[in-house]
Amino acid sequence: MRRPFIAGNWKMNKTVDEAVEMVTELKELVAGVEDVDIAICAPAVDLYAMNKVVADTNIALGAENMYWKESGAYTGELSPAMIKSVGCEYVIIGHSERREIFGEDDQLLNLKLKTAFAEDLNPILCIGEKLAERESGAHFDKVEFQLEAGLSGIEAADVKNMVLAYEPLWAIGTGETATPEQAEEIISFIREKVAKMYDQKTAEAVRIQYGGSVKPHNVTEIMAQPNIDGALVGGASLEAESFSQIVKFD
Ligand code: 13P
Protein backbone atom coordinates (compact mmCIF):
# COMPACT_ATOMS: atom_id res chain seq x y z
CA MET A 1 0.00 0.00 0.00
CA ARG A 2 1.16 3.50 -0.77
CA ARG A 3 1.39 5.77 2.26
CA PRO A 4 -0.59 9.00 1.93
CA PHE A 5 1.62 12.05 1.53
CA ILE A 6 0.39 15.56 2.26
CA ALA A 7 2.86 18.32 1.45
CA GLY A 8 2.59 22.07 1.74
CA ASN A 9 4.14 24.41 -0.80
CA TRP A 10 4.48 27.83 0.75
CA LYS A 11 5.73 29.47 -2.47
CA MET A 12 7.04 33.04 -1.81
CA ASN A 13 5.38 33.44 1.59
CA LYS A 14 6.58 33.77 5.20
CA THR A 15 9.58 35.41 6.82
CA VAL A 16 11.71 33.34 9.20
CA ASP A 17 9.69 34.43 12.25
CA GLU A 18 6.39 33.63 10.54
CA ALA A 19 7.70 30.26 9.37
CA VAL A 20 8.87 29.30 12.87
CA GLU A 21 5.57 30.37 14.38
CA MET A 22 3.61 28.27 11.90
CA VAL A 23 5.58 25.04 12.33
CA THR A 24 5.65 25.45 16.12
CA GLU A 25 1.85 25.46 16.03
CA LEU A 26 1.64 22.73 13.40
CA LYS A 27 3.80 20.23 15.23
CA GLU A 28 1.38 20.24 18.17
CA LEU A 29 -1.65 19.88 15.90
CA VAL A 30 -0.29 16.88 13.97
CA ALA A 31 1.68 15.26 16.80
CA GLY A 32 -0.47 12.13 16.88
CA VAL A 33 -0.60 11.53 13.11
CA GLU A 34 1.20 8.33 12.22
CA ASP A 35 -0.39 7.08 9.04
CA VAL A 36 0.35 10.04 6.76
CA ASP A 37 3.69 11.44 5.59
CA ILE A 38 3.78 15.20 6.16
CA ALA A 39 6.12 17.76 4.61
CA ILE A 40 6.40 21.51 4.27
CA CYS A 41 8.27 22.89 1.28
CA ALA A 42 9.33 26.37 2.25
CA PRO A 43 11.42 29.31 1.05
CA ALA A 44 15.11 28.53 1.38
CA VAL A 45 15.83 31.24 3.95
CA ASP A 46 13.24 29.79 6.34
CA LEU A 47 14.43 26.20 6.33
CA TYR A 48 17.34 26.38 8.77
CA ALA A 49 15.20 27.85 11.54
CA MET A 50 12.27 25.56 10.73
CA ASN A 51 14.51 22.53 11.00
CA LYS A 52 15.34 23.46 14.59
CA VAL A 53 11.62 23.21 15.36
CA VAL A 54 10.63 20.11 13.38
CA ALA A 55 13.73 17.90 13.62
CA ASP A 56 12.65 14.65 15.32
CA THR A 57 8.96 15.26 14.64
CA ASN A 58 6.68 13.73 11.98
CA ILE A 59 7.06 16.86 9.81
CA ALA A 60 9.64 16.63 7.03
CA LEU A 61 11.02 19.59 5.12
CA GLY A 62 11.41 20.26 1.44
CA ALA A 63 12.84 22.96 -0.78
CA GLU A 64 10.76 24.57 -3.50
CA ASN A 65 13.51 24.40 -6.09
CA MET A 66 17.22 23.69 -6.54
CA TYR A 67 19.87 23.79 -9.24
CA TRP A 68 21.40 20.65 -10.73
CA LYS A 69 25.09 21.48 -10.27
CA GLU A 70 27.06 20.67 -7.12
CA SER A 71 28.56 24.12 -6.65
CA GLY A 72 30.09 26.97 -8.59
CA ALA A 73 29.30 30.22 -10.35
CA TYR A 74 25.49 30.04 -10.44
CA THR A 75 24.47 33.26 -8.76
CA GLY A 76 21.23 32.99 -6.85
CA GLU A 77 20.92 29.21 -7.05
CA LEU A 78 20.87 26.50 -4.37
CA SER A 79 22.71 23.19 -4.50
CA PRO A 80 21.37 19.82 -3.32
CA ALA A 81 23.97 19.75 -0.51
CA MET A 82 22.81 23.17 0.69
CA ILE A 83 19.16 22.19 0.99
CA LYS A 84 20.10 18.90 2.64
CA SER A 85 22.23 20.79 5.15
CA VAL A 86 19.11 22.60 6.40
CA GLY A 87 17.15 19.39 6.85
CA CYS A 88 15.41 18.90 3.51
CA GLU A 89 14.40 15.40 2.45
CA TYR A 90 12.23 16.61 -0.43
CA VAL A 91 12.55 19.06 -3.27
CA ILE A 92 9.85 20.27 -5.62
CA ILE A 93 10.97 20.07 -9.22
CA GLY A 94 9.15 21.77 -12.09
CA HIS A 95 6.33 23.52 -10.31
CA SER A 96 4.21 25.20 -12.98
CA GLU A 97 5.26 28.60 -11.63
CA ARG A 98 8.91 27.67 -12.26
CA ARG A 99 7.98 26.46 -15.72
CA GLU A 100 5.79 29.42 -16.68
CA ILE A 101 7.33 32.42 -14.90
CA PHE A 102 10.98 31.34 -14.83
CA GLY A 103 11.07 29.48 -18.13
CA GLU A 104 12.23 26.09 -16.81
CA ASP A 105 11.87 23.45 -19.52
CA ASP A 106 11.62 19.67 -19.37
CA GLN A 107 15.30 19.15 -20.25
CA LEU A 108 16.43 21.29 -17.32
CA LEU A 109 13.95 19.57 -15.02
CA ASN A 110 15.27 16.19 -16.12
CA LEU A 111 18.79 17.26 -15.08
CA LYS A 112 17.47 18.48 -11.73
CA LEU A 113 15.70 15.17 -11.16
CA LYS A 114 18.83 13.17 -11.93
CA THR A 115 20.81 15.31 -9.50
CA ALA A 116 18.16 14.93 -6.80
CA PHE A 117 18.37 11.14 -7.07
CA ALA A 118 22.16 11.17 -7.10
CA GLU A 119 22.14 13.27 -3.93
CA ASP A 120 19.52 11.17 -2.09
CA LEU A 121 16.78 13.78 -2.14
CA ASN A 122 13.17 12.80 -2.85
CA PRO A 123 11.93 14.91 -5.73
CA ILE A 124 8.30 15.90 -6.18
CA LEU A 125 7.92 16.35 -9.93
CA CYS A 126 5.00 18.59 -10.88
CA ILE A 127 3.14 18.08 -14.13
CA GLY A 128 -0.16 19.42 -15.41
CA GLU A 129 -1.94 21.21 -18.23
CA LYS A 130 -3.12 24.76 -18.87
CA LEU A 131 -6.77 25.68 -19.20
CA ALA A 132 -6.67 25.85 -23.02
CA GLU A 133 -5.11 22.39 -23.15
CA ARG A 134 -7.84 20.97 -20.89
CA GLU A 135 -10.55 22.65 -22.99
CA SER A 136 -9.16 21.28 -26.25
CA GLY A 137 -8.75 17.79 -24.78
CA ALA A 138 -4.95 17.94 -25.00
CA HIS A 139 -4.40 17.33 -21.27
CA PHE A 140 -3.56 13.64 -21.63
CA ASP A 141 -0.96 14.38 -24.33
CA LYS A 142 0.50 17.17 -22.21
CA VAL A 143 1.14 15.10 -19.10
CA GLU A 144 2.38 12.20 -21.23
CA PHE A 145 4.92 14.50 -22.85
CA GLN A 146 6.01 15.95 -19.49
CA LEU A 147 6.51 12.44 -18.08
CA GLU A 148 8.50 11.20 -21.06
CA ALA A 149 10.75 14.26 -21.14
CA GLY A 150 11.07 14.67 -17.39
CA LEU A 151 11.83 11.02 -16.64
CA SER A 152 14.08 10.40 -19.63
CA GLY A 153 17.01 8.20 -18.61
CA ILE A 154 15.78 7.76 -15.04
CA GLU A 155 15.80 4.26 -13.55
CA ALA A 156 12.74 2.42 -12.23
CA ALA A 157 14.34 2.15 -8.77
CA ASP A 158 14.39 5.95 -8.54
CA VAL A 159 10.90 6.42 -9.95
CA LYS A 160 9.51 4.08 -7.29
CA ASN A 161 10.74 6.40 -4.55
CA MET A 162 9.79 9.69 -6.12
CA VAL A 163 6.56 11.63 -5.96
CA LEU A 164 4.57 12.92 -8.92
CA ALA A 165 2.21 15.84 -8.41
CA TYR A 166 -0.54 16.42 -10.94
CA GLU A 167 -1.40 20.11 -10.74
CA PRO A 168 -3.65 21.51 -13.48
CA LEU A 169 -2.69 25.16 -13.89
CA TRP A 170 -6.30 26.28 -14.04
CA ALA A 171 -6.90 24.95 -10.51
CA ILE A 172 -3.89 26.58 -8.83
CA GLY A 173 -4.77 29.47 -6.55
CA THR A 174 -8.08 29.92 -8.33
CA GLY A 175 -10.38 28.24 -5.84
CA GLU A 176 -11.43 26.01 -8.73
CA THR A 177 -10.52 22.39 -8.04
CA ALA A 178 -10.56 19.60 -10.55
CA THR A 179 -13.46 17.39 -9.55
CA PRO A 180 -12.28 14.26 -7.74
CA GLU A 181 -13.35 12.29 -10.83
CA GLN A 182 -11.36 14.54 -13.20
CA ALA A 183 -8.31 14.24 -10.95
CA GLU A 184 -8.68 10.47 -10.63
CA GLU A 185 -9.12 10.06 -14.39
CA ILE A 186 -5.86 11.76 -15.27
CA ILE A 187 -3.90 10.45 -12.28
CA SER A 188 -4.83 6.87 -13.20
CA PHE A 189 -3.72 7.71 -16.75
CA ILE A 190 -0.38 8.93 -15.33
CA ARG A 191 0.00 5.68 -13.40
CA GLU A 192 -0.71 3.66 -16.55
CA LYS A 193 1.85 5.70 -18.41
CA VAL A 194 4.46 4.93 -15.72
CA ALA A 195 3.57 1.23 -16.12
CA LYS A 196 4.19 1.49 -19.88
CA MET A 197 7.46 3.38 -19.45
CA TYR A 198 8.68 1.09 -16.66
CA ASP A 199 6.61 -1.79 -15.27
CA GLN A 200 3.55 -2.50 -13.14
CA LYS A 201 5.50 -2.67 -9.88
CA THR A 202 6.98 0.77 -10.40
CA ALA A 203 3.59 2.19 -11.31
CA GLU A 204 2.04 0.73 -8.18
CA ALA A 205 4.81 2.08 -5.96
CA VAL A 206 5.07 5.68 -7.18
CA ARG A 207 3.03 8.14 -5.16
CA ILE A 208 0.94 10.61 -7.13
CA GLN A 209 -0.45 13.73 -5.48
CA TYR A 210 -3.14 16.08 -6.65
CA GLY A 211 -2.55 19.83 -6.30
CA GLY A 212 -4.81 22.79 -7.03
CA SER A 213 -7.06 24.50 -4.46
CA VAL A 214 -7.00 21.60 -2.00
CA LYS A 215 -8.77 22.76 1.16
CA PRO A 216 -10.06 21.14 4.37
CA HIS A 217 -13.55 20.89 2.88
CA ASN A 218 -12.58 19.06 -0.33
CA VAL A 219 -9.59 16.93 0.72
CA THR A 220 -11.61 13.92 1.90
CA GLU A 221 -13.27 13.25 -1.44
CA ILE A 222 -10.02 13.85 -3.30
CA MET A 223 -8.17 11.39 -1.05
CA ALA A 224 -10.97 8.84 -1.46
CA GLN A 225 -9.96 8.30 -5.09
CA PRO A 226 -8.02 5.06 -5.49
CA ASN A 227 -5.09 6.47 -7.47
CA ILE A 228 -4.65 9.73 -5.55
CA ASP A 229 -2.05 9.26 -2.83
CA GLY A 230 -1.78 12.73 -1.45
CA ALA A 231 -2.01 16.45 -1.99
CA LEU A 232 0.36 19.30 -2.73
CA VAL A 233 -1.23 22.22 -0.96
CA GLY A 234 -0.53 25.89 -1.64
CA GLY A 235 -2.71 28.53 0.04
CA ALA A 236 -4.23 26.24 2.66
CA SER A 237 -0.77 25.15 3.86
CA LEU A 238 0.05 28.64 5.13
CA GLU A 239 -2.04 28.33 8.28
CA ALA A 240 -1.32 25.55 10.79
CA GLU A 241 -5.00 24.99 11.49
CA SER A 242 -6.12 24.50 7.87
CA PHE A 243 -3.05 22.46 6.93
CA SER A 244 -3.49 20.17 9.94
CA GLN A 245 -7.12 19.59 8.96
CA ILE A 246 -5.94 18.55 5.48
CA VAL A 247 -3.34 16.22 7.01
CA LYS A 248 -6.12 14.61 9.08
CA PHE A 249 -8.30 14.19 6.02
CA ASP A 250 -10.44 11.21 6.88
P1 13P B 1 -3.19 26.22 -4.22
O1 13P B 1 -3.48 25.11 -3.23
O2 13P B 1 -3.03 27.57 -3.59
O3 13P B 1 -4.16 26.21 -5.36
O4 13P B 1 -1.74 25.90 -4.86
C1 13P B 1 -1.49 24.65 -5.39
C2 13P B 1 -0.06 24.54 -5.71
O5 13P B 1 0.44 25.16 -6.63
C3 13P B 1 0.77 23.68 -4.84
O6 13P B 1 2.03 23.46 -5.39
Side-chain angles (χ1 to χ4, degrees):
M1 263 313 273
R2 297 179 296 268
R3 241 174 102 76
F5 179 32
I6 306 287
N9 172 14
W10 281 357
K11 310 190 179 186
M12 197 174 74
N13 291 291
K14 293 198 189 290
T15 61
V16 174
D17 288 349
E18 290 164 350
V20 165
E21 190 183 338
M22 190 286 189
V23 285
T24 303
E25 207 183 319
L26 181 67
K27 80 172 176 181
E28 302 303 327
L29 291 171
V30 301
V33 176
E34 285 171 0
D35 47 359
V36 176
D37 287 343
I38 307 167
I40 299 273
C41 301
V45 293
D46 296 341
L47 289 163
Y48 179 83
M50 290 170 74
N51 191 34
K52 303 264 175 236
V53 180
V54 302
D56 304 321
T57 70
N58 56 350
I59 302 169
L61 294 179
E64 298 177 9
N65 181 31
M66 66 165 200
Y67 199 50
W68 62 279
K69 294 277 194 176
E70 266 174 43
S71 64
Y74 305 102
T75 302
E77 294 295 324
L78 297 167
S79 74
M82 288 172 188
I83 62 175
K84 275 167 55 175
S85 74
V86 289
C88 289
E89 288 172 44
Y90 295 95
V91 57
I92 299 176
I93 301 288
H95 190 279
S96 58
E97 289 146 19
R98 299 295 320 167
R99 294 175 186 259
E100 294 301 311
I101 303 170
F102 301 101
E104 297 194 0
D105 63 20
D106 292 286
Q107 284 67 36
L108 174 67
L109 301 175
N110 178 251
L111 291 170
K112 291 187 178 197
L113 278 182
K114 286 177 175 159
T115 304
F117 293 125
E119 302 288 336
D120 273 336
L121 281 158
N122 297 323
I124 302 172
L125 175 67
C126 298
I127 58 177
E129 80 284 357
K130 298 179 194 170
L131 182 59
E133 291 162 336
R134 165 69 60 168
E135 285 174 346
S136 69
H139 46 300
F140 292 108
D141 287 349
K142 178 64 181 275
V143 297
E144 191 165 22
F145 176 82
Q146 289 176 321
L147 281 174
E148 278 172 6
L151 299 181
S152 168
I154 290 172
E155 305 286 326
D158 286 329
V159 175
K160 266 187 199 145
N161 292 323
M162 75 181 293
V163 179
L164 295 169
Y166 167 68
E167 298 203 315
L169 274 67
W170 47 273
I172 295 177
T174 57
E176 191 174 335
T177 2
T179 64
E181 294 73 26
Q182 277 175 323
E184 170 64 17
E185 180 188 38
I186 193 151
I187 287 177
S188 65
F189 172 83
I190 291 167
R191 200 176 297 287
E192 280 163 29
K193 178 69 190 170
V194 172
K196 279 189 206 139
M197 289 171 67
Y198 295 92
D199 50 62
Q200 199 58 36
K201 263 193 161 166
T202 306
E204 276 164 24
V206 67
R207 291 191 289 184
I208 311 179
Q209 297 176 316
Y210 167 77
S213 299
V214 176
K215 310 286 178 200
H217 72 84
N218 60 24
V219 65
T220 306
E221 50 178 359
I222 291 168
M223 290 303 293
Q225 302 298 316
N227 280 288
I228 303 182
D229 305 316
L232 188 55
V233 185
S237 73
L238 294 172
E239 300 297 330
E241 184 59 45
S242 56
F243 188 61
S244 71
Q245 285 174 24
I246 292 174
V247 165
K248 299 176 190 172
F249 58 85
D250 52 4

